Amino acid sequence: MSNLSHDCTDAGGTTPGMEEVESRLEQRSKAMQGAIADDCTDAGGRAMQGAIAETNHLEELRFKVISQIAEILENQSHTQRYAASLSELNHNVHQEIISKLMAAMATIATDDSAAMIAMIPTITHIINTCTRLDRSLNLLFRQRGKQWAANEQHVQNLMFEFNQTLLELSSVLIEKDLLERQSRVLERIILSHEHISQWKEFVQEILVDFYAIFPFNFFYIAFAEENGLSLYLYYLGQCSDDIRVKARGLLSQQMLRSIGLPPDAALDIEEFNIHCGAHIKPDFDIRLISVPVPDHSPNLAGLLGVAYASENNLSAQEASVIRSILAVMVMVVGSSKVLSRTLLELEYYAVHDPLTGLHNRRQFNDILHYEIGRSERHKHEFSVLMLDLDDFKDINDSYGHPTGDTALCSIANVLLEHTRNGDLCARIGGDEFAIILTETGPKGARVVAENVGRALREMAITSAQGNRFHLTVSIGVSSYPMDGQTIDTLLEGVDAAMYKAKDMGKDGVCTFDATEARVSIRETRDNAENLREALKEGRIIPYYQSIVDCQTGELFAFETLARLKAPTGETTSAGMFIETIDKYGLARELDIAMINNSFAAKRACMDANRPEANAKIFINLSVQEIQGRGILGYAEELCQELQLPPESIVFELLERDAIGDMTNMRRFLTNLRRKGFAFALDDFGTGYNSFHYLRELHFEYVKIDGAFVRNILNSKVDYALVHNLSKLCQDLNILTVAEFVENQNIWEALKDMGINYAQGYHIGMPQPEMRRTSRP
């Protein structure tokens, strides 16, 4: 007010002119209007900035925004009071001016009428101006009043809308204690192996905890089982039969409606009563909250959904929390049932064959171990049958594996039909089966084996293409305790008996005591590993036996004979380990070892310029080498490296091995001669079609089997055979070598027959070095 009075009064206390007053009032009015707008803008800006800065805390945001809005209203009130004061001041100034002008006019009128009359128009103009100014100010203030009223309404609307928003937000927020209650329920839902395997009990544990925090009356879980719909209904508290009937009807109808089925649809109901110290009232009025399985979720063991039924009034927040817990229970219950089913399947297939349903090898071994202990305690007998299908690979190759699977399942049914409940049938391999016959001796076991064999032989199986075929089986029998008292000895015995049945022509039964020898499979395997180590350590070495010209006695060649050298220095001949070498795939390593050592020995003789350097080397090859495994290429490269003439090398194959694959044998011989090597057919005469092979294949050398040679002096048949073989080979330009020459008389007889070369103990014993032997 003082500033405005100062504006309306000059420094000398005089009143300024009307134009100046009008100008000042107009400037003040504009400034006032701008100040009000700035106050509103600044206050609104501060409110918005505060709202953005403090959005993390809703209550704090609400307080700050309301404070800012209140400040806007307060500024508006100040502006209104300021304008009223200005209006009052303007009115007072006007009155003062008019009063003074009227006094001046009175004075002038008294002193000088003419001057007074002259000033009347001017004074009248001033009065009119002041009047217009007053009207203008009033108009201005009325307009500002309207604006203030509008602003006030806007602010009130803003406060109302903001408060309404906060109320809506608070209605969906979960209170802290409600959230803690939810957490207490969820933290108890922990999946474990025990919970999964006993998922029904697990559900009841969850419901007990659920009830303690959110009390309710009923709960149900709906499933779509293989044979229809199932409803698991839980009662939380004591209730009468009438209450059960009412709840059962109400909840089952609700479930059927929820999945769109008619109310009379078949439904299996399983009820559970959970004792929680409460009583369910007869006239209950329940409020149901149900949660179905989401469409995007996988099939949770047929689970359709769960429902929570309570008489208590629930707030929106509580209903929201309960719904979220139910959603968790949907996944937990469904997952528990799926995992429970999976565990049962895993437990089943851990001991069963998935194709035939018989027990598997693991269960067979466990039961066999148990049966040994039980029979030992009670002095019982029991027997083991090992069954191997004859030529089952032909079934798969001819009709396909699906037909083979069908045949295996049919065989499993036959085994079950011919055994008792206490016996165990197992599939222990692709086409191998085993049976444990409890409290059954060798005679009873053989009867069962023959019955099974006969039933399988008579069973006709039809393939997918409509072809009918039959199967046979070779069966071995071993009994406890006479054939073995441990798992290993029993299985070794029954395995040997089964293979004996194979060797006897298949489709038969063989007991362990009928086998010719009790060969330990484990011992054979141990021997194989020892031989493998010996090959790596270079302890399988060649010994050299002289081959001489039968007519002159001159050294012609050396045959390399494998010997196993023990770490202690003793040597073992090849006959003791060659079968193990062949069985366990060590023949190639043996061939390479013999080639390396014998080639090196020949090179040493050549370097020393010894007479033995001109002798040929006969080297035995395994039958696998005619399959194109590259041994000839290896020998050729080694000859080039050591500068050995290939024509000095003769490779031998046994007759029974050489004639097994005529096509590959022709290819092998062609490749062998192309590289410059020669070939000798060993043990000639032991085959059934020896003359046929002489016609079909060409050999440089034929080594006549020693079984004929050693008896030529005592057997006319052997003499005639060897003599005629010699004549035949001479006519075919094939050189002959007689083995097992053990004395001078045999030597002389061979010489008379025209045999080309001879070897044997009479000629020379095998020795570790290439040394010339004296002529007999």
Side-chain angles (χ1 to χ4, degrees):
M1 184 70 71
S2 58
N3 291 335
L4 187 56
S5 299
H6 178 74
D7 289 338
C8 295
T9 308
D10 59 12
T14 62
T15 302
M18 288 305 300
E19 291 81 0
E20 184 178 356
V21 172
E22 186 174 359
S23 176
R24 289 183 181 182
L25 287 174
E26 186 177 358
Q27 293 174 3
R28 176 61 68 181
S29 177
K30 292 181 179 179
M32 198 86 130
Q33 188 175 1
I36 293 173
D38 291 341
D39 288 342
C40 292
T41 302
D42 293 343
R46 288 194 300 273
M48 183 60 69
Q49 293 174 358
I52 294 174
E54 300 297 332
T55 53
N56 292 332
H57 198 297
L58 190 59
E59 194 62 29
E60 184 178 353
L61 170 64
R62 178 184 178 185
F63 176 76
K64 287 189 175 183
V65 173
I66 291 178
S67 297
Q68 295 296 334
I69 294 174
E71 185 179 349
I72 292 174
L73 294 176
E74 184 179 0
N75 289 337
Q76 186 176 10
S77 297
H78 285 304
T79 302
Q80 289 175 337
R81 289 196 298 272
Y82 188 67
S85 298
L86 178 61
S87 178
E88 182 180 358
L89 175 62
N90 179 57
H91 180 72
N92 292 336
V93 170
H94 285 177
Q95 292 297 323
E96 184 180 353
I97 292 174
I98 293 171
S99 178
K100 288 182 180 182
L101 288 175
M102 293 297 293
M105 289 177 65
T107 302
I108 295 172
T110 303
D111 296 338
D112 188 354
S113 299
M116 183 61 183
I117 293 172
M119 293 182 61
I120 289 175
T122 302
I123 294 173
T124 302
H125 177 71
I126 292 174
I127 294 172
N128 292 335
T129 300
C130 290
T131 302
R132 289 196 304 272
L133 176 61
D134 189 52
R135 287 197 301 267
S136 298
L137 287 174
N138 289 335
L139 181 61
L140 172 64
F141 289 128
R142 283 198 301 271
Q143 185 64 30
R144 292 303 301 160
K146 292 180 180 179
Q147 292 179 355
W148 289 332
N151 289 340
E152 182 178 5
Q153 186 62 42
H154 288 322
V155 171
Q156 289 179 354
N157 291 339
L158 175 63
M159 293 179 66
F160 175 79
E161 292 176 359
F162 179 73
N163 190 62
Q164 187 67 24
T165 301
L166 291 179
L167 290 176
E168 292 176 358
L169 289 175
S170 64
S171 67
V172 298
L173 293 178
I174 300 174
E175 298 177 1
K176 180 180 179 181
D177 65 328
L178 190 58
L179 184 61
E180 290 176 350
R181 290 163 66 190
Q182 179 190 26
S183 299
R184 288 200 302 272
V185 176
L186 295 179
E187 69 185 6
R188 298 174 185 270
I189 303 177
I190 301 175
L191 289 176
S192 65
H193 180 274
E194 181 181 358
H195 288 159
I196 292 170
S197 59
Q198 301 176 5
W199 69 271
K200 292 183 180 180
E201 292 77 4
F202 179 39
V203 170
Q204 296 186 48
E205 292 179 11
I206 296 175
L207 293 180
V208 169
D209 295 333
F210 197 174
Y211 177 87
I213 299 171
F214 295 98
F216 55 98
N217 304 101
F218 308 101
F219 193 91
Y220 79 68
I221 305 174
F223 288 99
E225 305 285 4
E226 293 181 359
N227 299 322
L229 298 174
S230 295
L231 184 69
Y232 291 14
L233 181 57
Y234 299 85
Y235 302 96
L236 278 297
Q238 298 294 331
C239 61
S240 64
D241 292 340
D242 292 338
I243 293 176
R244 290 175 181 269
V245 172
K246 181 179 178 182
R248 190 184 308 125
L250 178 65
L251 297 177
S252 61
Q253 290 303 311
Q254 191 277 342
M255 188 204 78
L256 293 173
R257 283 197 305 271
S258 66
I259 59 177
L261 292 178
D264 57 347
L267 184 65
D268 294 329
I269 299 178
E270 187 172 352
E271 297 177 316
F272 304 89
N273 188 264
I274 300 177
H275 301 286
C276 53
H279 292 273
I280 302 176
K281 299 177 182 179
D283 297 326
F284 57 83
D285 180 18
I286 60 174
R287 294 156 184 83
L288 203 63
I289 300 178
S290 60
V291 174
V293 174
D295 293 337
H296 62 272
S297 297
N299 184 13
L300 298 176
L303 178 65
L304 299 175
V306 300
Y308 165 104
S310 173
E311 288 187 290
N312 300 327
N313 291 321
L314 301 173
S315 66
Q317 293 93 333
E318 288 177 328
S320 176
V321 169
I322 290 174
R323 193 173 296 278
S324 67
I325 294 174
L326 294 180
V328 173
M329 287 196 65
V330 164
M331 302 306 296
V332 170
V333 172
S335 300
S336 296
K337 192 176 181 184
V338 169
L339 292 174
S340 175
R341 182 180 298 173
T342 303
L343 285 176
L344 290 176
E345 291 177 354
L346 290 175
E347 291 174 359
Y348 178 84
Y349 288 119
V351 296
H352 288 83
D353 171 49
L355 176 63
T356 62
L358 300 179
H359 291 285
N360 58 15
R361 178 184 288 274
R362 174 185 174 184
Q363 183 72 354
F364 171 78
N365 290 335
D366 290 344
I367 297 301
L368 183 58
H369 184 272
Y370 167 79
E371 191 62 26
I372 288 175
R374 190 181 76 90
S375 298
E376 182 181 6
R377 289 191 302 272
H378 299 286
K379 308 302 180 184
H380 289 163
E381 294 179 304
F382 75 89
S383 297
V384 179
L385 274 57
M386 187 72 67
L387 302 87
D388 187 87
L389 301 179
D390 299 326
D391 305 314
F392 185 71
K393 184 177 182 298
D394 293 344
I395 302 300
N396 287 328
D397 294 343
S398 301
Y399 306 118
H401 286 277
T403 298
D405 292 343
T406 301
L408 292 174
C409 293
S410 300
I411 292 166
N413 293 332
V414 170
L415 299 186
L416 294 174
E417 290 172 358
H418 287 79
T419 53
R420 303 161 298 180
N421 290 334
D423 300 329
L424 179 136
C425 300
R427 181 188 178 203
I428 61 175
D431 59 349
E432 286 187 315
F433 297 83
I435 301 175
I436 298 177
L437 300 173
T438 60
E439 301 182 21
T440 304
K443 292 183 179 179
R446 186 175 186 92
V447 171
V448 174
E450 290 175 349
N451 289 338
V452 169
R454 181 171 55 256
L456 291 178
R457 184 167 52 252
E458 295 173 353
M459 179 181 65
I461 303 173
T462 304
S463 70
Q465 298 81 13
N467 305 100
R468 290 171 59 85
F469 61 90
H470 294 76
L471 287 171
T472 60
V473 63
S474 298
I475 305 176
V477 181
S478 179
S479 299
Y480 173 92
M482 62 286 299
D483 295 330
Q485 300 182 15
T486 66
I487 290 180
D488 292 339
T489 55
L490 281 172
L491 292 182
E492 288 175 6
V494 74
D495 201 52
M498 185 267 292
Y499 279 110
K500 182 65 178 179
K502 290 277 189 185
D503 295 340
M504 293 172 63
K506 305 177 183 179
D507 189 21
V509 178
C510 185
T511 58
F512 179 67
D513 57 5
T515 59
E516 295 179 354
R518 301 189 177 199
V519 179
S520 171
I521 298 175
R522 178 178 297 177
E523 181 180 349
T524 303
R525 182 71 199 190
D526 291 342
N527 288 339
E529 295 304 318
N530 292 334
L531 290 171
R532 197 184 306 276
E533 291 297 322
L535 285 168
K536 290 181 180 179
E537 296 170 2
R539 291 190 288 106
I540 296 184
I541 58 177
Y543 268 46
Y544 304 97
Q545 187 174 33
S546 300
I547 299 175
V548 299
D549 189 305
C550 207
Q551 303 301 321
T552 65
E554 296 295 326
L555 177 66
F556 172 70
F558 291 103
E559 180 180 2
T560 59
L561 304 173
R563 293 291 185 269
L564 171 63
K565 188 174 183 180
T568 56
E570 297 89 350
T571 59
T572 303
S573 65
M576 301 299 293
F577 59 81
I578 195 64
E579 288 187 4
T580 304
I581 288 284
D582 291 337
K583 179 177 180 180
Y584 289 96
L586 301 175
R588 179 173 175 78
E589 286 77 5
L590 177 63
D591 292 345
I592 291 176
M594 294 299 100
I595 290 173
N596 285 339
N597 285 306
S598 59
F599 280 23
K602 183 171 180 61
R603 181 70 258 176
C605 289
M606 294 171 64
D607 292 340
N609 200 23
R610 291 168 46 194
E612 293 86 356
N614 296 322
K616 296 181 182 294
I617 303 176
F618 281 62
I619 302 174
N620 291 278
L621 287 182
S622 59
V623 64
Q624 291 85 0
E625 297 309 331
I626 70 171
Q627 306 297 329
R629 297 175 64 180
I631 195 68
L632 296 180
Y634 177 80
E636 182 184 30
E637 292 178 0
L638 190 58
C639 282
Q640 293 176 356
E641 179 182 340
L642 299 177
Q643 296 183 351
L644 299 179
E647 57 270 15
S648 66
I649 308 300
V650 181
F651 288 110
E652 295 184 27
L653 271 178
L654 295 177
E655 180 183 352
R656 66 174 182 271
D657 295 336
I659 53 84
D661 189 343
M662 295 292 286
T663 301
N664 279 323
M665 190 62 194
R666 289 190 182 92
R667 187 183 302 112
F668 175 79
L669 291 177
T670 299
N671 190 28
L672 180 140
R673 294 189 178 95
R674 182 175 57 81
K675 296 180 182 299
F677 302 117
F679 179 77
L681 186 64
D682 198 10
D683 288 351
F684 184 74
T686 58
Y688 295 106
N689 295 304
S690 298
F691 295 110
H692 171 71
Y693 305 133
L694 289 178
R695 186 186 70 178
E696 296 294 326
L697 302 172
H698 174 67
F699 311 115
E700 282 77 17
Y701 302 92
V702 165
K703 300 186 76 173
I704 302 174
D705 186 68
F708 301 115
V709 173
R710 63 164 46 130
N711 288 322
I712 59 174
L713 300 180
N714 302 319
S715 171
K716 293 183 179 180
V717 174
D718 289 344
Y719 185 92
L721 287 174
V722 173
H723 183 267
N724 284 288
L725 285 175
S726 175
K727 288 288 294 179
L728 177 63
C729 290
Q730 290 175 25
D731 293 340
L732 297 175
N733 294 321
I734 298 175
L735 299 174
T736 53
V737 181
E739 299 178 311
F740 285 69
V741 179
E742 297 178 349
N743 54 57
Q744 183 66 29
N745 293 333
I746 293 177
W747 168 277
E748 295 294 340
L750 294 173
K751 183 189 300 185
D752 294 339
M753 293 180 188
I755 296 295
N756 301 108
Y757 305 104
Q759 72 177 103
Y761 289 162
H762 181 66
I763 306 298
M765 298 291 290
Q767 51 190 352
E769 296 181 355
M770 289 184 180
R771 290 293 181 183
R772 181 188 181 108
T773 55
S774 301
R775 181 173 61 85

